[in-house]
Amino acid sequence: MVKLMSSIAVETLPDALGHFGPYGGRYVPETLMHPLQELEQEYLRCRNDPHFQRELDYYLREFCGRPTPLYLAERLTRELGGPKVYLKREDLLHTGAHKINNAIGQILLARRMGKTRIIAETGAGQHGVATATVAAMFGLKCAIYMGAVDCERQALNVFRMKMLGAEVVSVQAGQQTLKEAINEAMRDWVTNVRSTHYILGTAYGAHPYPLMVRNFQRIIGDEARRQILEQEERLPDLLIACVGGGSNAIGLFYPFLEDQSVRMIGVEAGGEGIAAGKHAARFQGGSLGVLQGTRSYLLQDEFGQIQLTHSVSAGLDYAAVGPEHAWLRDQGRVEYTFATDQQALEAFMKLARLEGIIPALESAHAIAEVVQRAPQMAKDQVIIVNLSGRGDKDVAQVAAKVGLQGA
C-alpha cells in the first residue's frame, strides 16, 4: 500500500539540517560549511523577498520564455491507443532545457552575495550552456567542468559554452563523465570560495542545493497543474519524467505530491542492462551511501567504491540520485523504473516521426516509459510527461547509432 505524506510532512522537508528522512544532509570539507550556510541564509531570505521574486519572475518570463506549453501529442496518443499524452515542453525554453530555471535563480542569488565568478558542472552540457548563458547576461566570469567523454559526445554544447564566453575545463580523471566533473568543480570552489558561486545543476549535493534546486524547478509542475486543469478540467492520472540527479522530475512531481489520485513514475537509465558498470539505475542496483556532499542511493561496490556507470544519455549516467527522490521512493509515493539505451533510442525516433519533436536522449527515457505504460491504461485517462530538453545535442550520436543515411 502506498504511504502518502501529510501536507505538513511535504512542506517541512527537508528539515533544518537538510534531511529528507535518512537522506540528504551536508557532507563537505570544513572550508565549504560557511559558504553553504551563507547560501542557505541568502536563499531563505530571497524566498520570502517580493523584490527577488519579481526579478526572478521577470527573467523567467522575458528571457527564458515561460510559461512553456502543455501540448497534447495527438498522433502519439493515437499510436499508443491509450490515454491522452501531454508533453510539458521544457525543450522550448531558451537554451533548450529546464536547466535555465535553476541557473537564473542561482545567479540572482550569487549577485546578491557579491560573487564575481561562477562555476558549474555539466554532463549533457545543457546545464553548462544555461550557466554560461546567465553568466554572460550578467557579465560574470564563468568556468564549466565537463568530463572528457561528455565533451566528445556533446561537442555542440561545448562550442555553445565557449561562444558564450565560458572556460570549458575537460576533466580527464576517472570515467571522465559527470561524477568527475563535480569533483573538479568542488575542488575549484574550495580554492576560490570567496569570489565564486557554484551553480550546481541538479537536485543533489549538500544542503541547501536539493531544496533550492527543487524550488527553482517546481515552476514546471506549478504550470502543468494549472494548464491541465484549464485544458481537461481535471488532474492527470500519471506523471512521468526521467531521473538523473532528478531536478526535472522533482520539479514536475512536487506540486502534485498531495494529490493522491496522481501517480508518478521516475525513469532512470537502464543502459545496456542491469549489470555492474552497464547502467545508471541507482534504485535497481544501488545502496545507501555518501557521495559529493549528500547521503542517498548510489552505485557502489561492497567496499564503498563508486562503480562505473553507463547510459546513452550523458545527463543520466550519474552514480547517485537526489535525496528527495530516495525519500519519495521509501514513502511509496513515486515509482522508479528504468529504460534501456535501445528503448530510449526507439522512443527518440518515435516522437520525432510522430510529433515532429526531437527530444533530448534524457527525455527519450521518459517517452520510452510512456510507450510501455499507455497501452495498459484507459482512453479516458491522462498522462503528463516532462519533455525536459530538446535533442539537437544528440542528433549526431543518435544518427550514428540508428544508422541514418549521412551519419
Side-chain angles (χ1 to χ4, degrees):
M1 179 179 291
V2 173
K3 293 188 295 181
L4 291 175
M5 299 81 73
S6 69
S7 59
I8 295 175
V10 170
E11 292 300 324
T12 58
L13 283 176
D15 66 17
L17 297 177
H19 294 110
F20 300 86
Y23 308 107
R26 189 178 279 159
Y27 298 84
V28 294
E30 188 65 29
T31 313
L32 292 180
M33 290 299 287
H34 176 70
L36 284 167
Q37 291 164 352
E38 178 189 36
L39 176 61
E40 178 187 10
Q41 291 164 5
E42 189 64 39
Y43 171 69
L44 293 176
R45 279 194 293 269
C46 289
R47 189 168 64 171
N48 299 312
D49 181 344
H51 175 75
F52 178 87
Q53 293 302 324
R54 282 194 300 271
E55 188 177 29
L56 176 60
D57 289 346
Y58 170 80
Y59 286 113
L60 287 171
R61 182 180 67 251
E62 302 296 335
F63 184 72
C64 301
R66 302 212 72 91
T68 59
L70 185 67
Y71 172 70
L72 175 59
E74 294 186 35
R75 292 194 68 215
L76 181 63
T77 294
R78 288 198 299 272
E79 173 82 7
L80 298 178
K84 289 182 179 179
V85 178
Y86 282 88
L87 308 177
K88 183 57 175 160
R89 297 292 308 275
E90 296 299 288
D91 59 309
L92 294 179
L93 283 173
H94 181 43
T95 73
H98 70 290
K99 296 293 188 179
I100 193 75
N101 301 324
N102 170 57
I104 203 80
Q106 284 202 49
I107 202 160
L108 293 177
L109 287 175
R111 289 172 72 226
R112 286 173 67 115
M113 292 187 292
K115 304 298 183 181
T116 58
R117 178 173 176 266
I118 299 297
I119 60 172
E121 86 300 330
T122 196
Q126 289 300 131
H127 175 58
V129 170
T131 301
T133 296
V134 297
M137 184 175 66
F138 288 111
L140 301 185
K141 295 178 181 178
C142 182
I144 309 293
Y145 290 89
M146 190 172 189
V149 169
D150 292 338
C151 285
E152 183 176 348
R153 60 180 170 175
Q154 298 295 333
L156 174 63
N157 278 341
V158 173
F159 296 143
R160 293 171 77 194
M161 288 182 269
K162 290 180 177 179
M163 287 177 183
L164 290 160
E167 175 191 5
V168 180
V169 181
S170 177
V171 179
Q172 306 292 326
Q175 197 178 350
Q176 303 178 16
T177 56
L178 185 57
K179 175 173 67 70
E180 290 77 22
I182 294 175
N183 283 340
E184 292 304 313
M186 290 184 75
R187 288 191 186 99
D188 184 319
W189 198 24
V190 168
T191 305
N192 301 290
V193 70
R194 290 183 180 275
S195 64
T196 298
H197 174 64
Y198 179 12
I199 299 185
L200 199 153
T202 194
Y204 193 77
H207 181 62
Y209 281 106
L211 165 70
M212 189 169 64
V213 175
R214 174 249 276 165
N215 287 346
F216 284 139
Q217 292 292 0
R218 68 169 293 174
I219 192 169
I220 301 169
D222 286 334
E223 285 181 5
R225 202 174 193 283
R226 291 194 300 270
Q227 290 165 327
I228 200 67
L229 288 171
E230 290 172 3
Q231 294 183 52
E232 291 288 338
E233 298 184 343
R234 52 162 294 187
L235 292 174
D237 297 281
L238 180 62
L239 307 176
I240 300 177
C242 65
V243 178
S247 65
N248 93 89
I250 200 65
L252 176 64
F253 296 164
Y254 187 73
F256 292 90
L257 286 177
E258 295 175 19
D259 299 304
Q260 298 188 19
S261 65
V262 181
R263 294 175 57 219
M264 305 177 193
I265 300 176
V267 187
E268 297 185 285
E272 296 171 353
I274 306 303
K278 299 294 186 181
H279 69 97
R282 288 65 49 100
F283 293 129
Q284 303 299 320
S287 56
L288 189 58
V290 174
L291 179 66
Q292 294 173 330
T294 198
R295 192 169 188 250
S296 189
Y297 267 83
L298 53 118
L299 295 170
Q300 59 187 339
D301 63 22
E302 64 269 30
F303 304 108
Q305 297 300 304
I306 303 304
Q307 293 178 326
L308 297 178
T309 58
H310 166 78
S311 172
V312 70
S313 57
L316 297 186
D317 67 356
Y318 186 50
V321 67
E324 189 163 10
H325 285 289
W327 181 73
L328 289 170
R329 177 178 178 267
D330 280 3
Q331 298 297 310
R333 184 62 185 98
V334 180
E335 176 187 348
Y336 293 87
T337 185
F338 64 90
T340 65
D341 288 353
Q342 185 59 37
Q343 289 171 322
L345 289 166
E346 290 171 0
F348 182 101
M349 296 302 298
K350 184 180 285 288
L351 192 68
R353 291 183 172 176
L354 286 175
E355 293 292 344
I357 298 170
I358 299 174
L361 273 172
E362 292 77 14
S363 308
H365 285 69
I367 299 297
E369 184 62 19
V370 174
V371 172
Q372 295 293 316
R373 296 279 177 152
Q376 305 166 25
M377 296 172 63
K379 289 180 182 290
D380 63 352
Q381 292 185 297
V382 173
I383 296 174
I384 295 176
V385 57
N386 197 20
L387 201 68
S388 57
R390 67 177 184 239
D392 308 41
K393 65 187 178 61
D394 299 312
V395 166
Q397 184 184 0
V398 172
K401 286 185 177 295
V402 303
L404 293 177
Q405 289 292 323

